Each structure stands twice: as structure tokens, then as C-alpha cells.
Amino acid sequence: KLRILYLYSCSIEIIQTDSFYGLLNLNYLYLRDNRIKNLNNSLNTLINLYILDLSKNQIESISETDFNGLINLIELNLSNNIIKFFKYPNDNVILPKLKKLFLSNVSIEFIIKLNLSSLGYLEEIDLSDNNLSYLYFSNNLKNLKKFNLKNSLIQLKKNYSFWSFIENLNFIKEIELFN
């Protein structure tokens, strides 16, 4: 009946596929400040997880199947990793209840198919301190209230001005862009 699991600074490097098997009641998983490089679909059985903190690890890529099964996840923190590749499936809703997504200082250089329009409950996203070479947001994110791009370099598509990009986000209540 374990509901909260703190594994802060435990020098964890590898998570086996079955590491969390049987922890069906787990609601909060904190794997902050370890040396995890890959998720290996190890979280897929945590169907009752609400908060997942994977910040301050060495995660290099996120595949479209790494979060399968996390249907009740509300908050995901991947900040302070070395993510070079983040692929989110275009058509499938993998994290249907996600409200907060933290991707601050993850060295994201390229985001492929980051289809946040399927994350209809998303209220807050933090992409601060990144070098983003591609960024696309849909107007389907009507619940988005806070959008943080502070200290991020954004290269918008050719013939797409910064202000037209901001106008497409007119439903957001707070945008942070300053360096």
C-alpha cells in the first residue's frame, strides 16, 4: 500500500523495466538528483501516479512509450536533465490529466512532435533556460495559465514573427520571456 516513494540522491543509474511492478497504489514518485539516463518504459505500470519528479538526472531522451500507462499523472518534472530528444506521439493522449510540465534547463535542442494540444488539462509549462530550435503550440490548450520561456533561445519558423507566435497564445494568463 505504498503511496509515496522518495529516492532522492541515491546514485541510481539504471531503472529496470520491472522496477516498480506491483506498486499499483503509488501516487508520488521522487527520483530527483540521481544518475538515471534512460527510463526503459519502467514507469508504465504506475497507473495511479499523480506526481513524478525526475529532475536533476542525466536523462538524454524521452521516447513516446516511456509514459504509457501514467493515465492519472498530474505533474511531471524533467528539469535539469540533458534531454536532446523529446518525442511525444502525435495522435495518442498518453498523459490525459497532466496539468504541470517542467522542462527547465534540459538542453532541449530539438522537440519532435511535441503535440501539447492533446494535453487539454495542461495549466503550466516551464521551458525556461533552453535552446529551442522548434516550438509549436496549438490553441487547444485553453487551460494553460502559465508559460515560462525565460532565458530560452527560440528560433521560430521562417516567415513566422515572434508576435504572431505570442498572439496564438492569447488564452494564457502569464508568460515569462525575460532574460
Side-chain angles (χ1 to χ4, degrees):
K1 296 211 174 199
L2 184 65
R3 296 204 185 277
I4 302 172
L5 182 56
Y6 291 96
L7 294 171
Y8 283 175
S9 303
C10 293
S11 300
I12 299 170
E13 293 181 22
I14 298 172
I15 302 177
Q16 300 297 330
T17 305
D18 61 351
S19 293
F20 302 107
Y21 186 79
L23 297 178
L24 297 177
N25 294 316
L26 193 64
N27 299 129
Y28 305 91
L29 178 57
Y30 300 94
L31 293 166
R32 179 184 181 96
D33 200 15
N34 283 288
R35 291 185 285 219
I36 300 167
K37 291 184 180 180
N38 296 305
L39 298 178
N40 299 320
N41 296 321
S42 59
L43 307 168
N44 296 352
T45 60
L46 301 175
I47 59 172
N48 290 309
L49 198 64
Y50 301 139
I51 296 179
L52 175 59
D53 185 352
L54 290 162
S55 62
K56 292 190 175 183
N57 275 285
Q58 298 171 7
I59 299 171
E60 296 175 349
S61 68
I62 304 291
S63 82
E64 56 191 68
T65 58
D66 280 331
F67 300 120
N68 280 353
L70 301 182
I71 58 172
N72 290 304
L73 195 67
I74 295 171
E75 183 176 312
L76 174 60
N77 190 344
L78 291 165
S79 296
N80 297 297
N81 277 284
I82 51 174
I83 300 172
K84 300 284 186 205
F85 184 80
F86 187 98
K87 185 172 183 179
Y88 191 84
N90 213 15
D91 299 325
N92 301 328
V93 179
I94 302 298
L95 302 170
K97 295 182 181 177
L98 193 67
K99 290 184 178 182
K100 296 181 179 184
L101 178 60
F102 301 101
L103 292 166
S104 174
N105 193 29
V106 291
S107 303
I108 293 178
E109 294 173 358
F110 192 76
I111 299 177
I112 297 178
K113 293 184 181 176
L114 184 56
N115 185 4
L116 296 176
S117 62
S118 64
L119 299 175
Y121 288 105
L122 197 63
E123 294 177 358
E124 180 177 351
I125 185 165
D126 185 350
L127 293 171
S128 60
D129 300 305
N130 283 299
N131 179 15
L132 304 169
S133 57
Y134 178 76
L135 187 60
Y136 170 76
F137 282 91
S138 167
N139 283 339
N140 294 342
L141 296 172
K142 300 295 183 199
N143 291 317
L144 197 60
K145 294 179 178 80
K146 185 173 182 185
F147 182 38
N148 188 349
L149 282 168
K150 190 165 59 171
N151 296 323
S152 287
L153 175 63
I154 306 168
Q155 298 173 15
L156 296 172
K157 288 196 250 180
K158 192 174 182 179
N159 299 325
Y160 193 61
S161 77
F162 178 75
W163 293 114
S164 64
F165 170 74
I166 296 299
E167 285 173 7
N168 284 333
L169 302 175
N170 60 5
F171 46 86
I172 297 176
K173 295 182 178 22
E174 181 179 339
I175 300 175
E176 291 185 43
L177 296 169
F178 302 103
N179 286 335

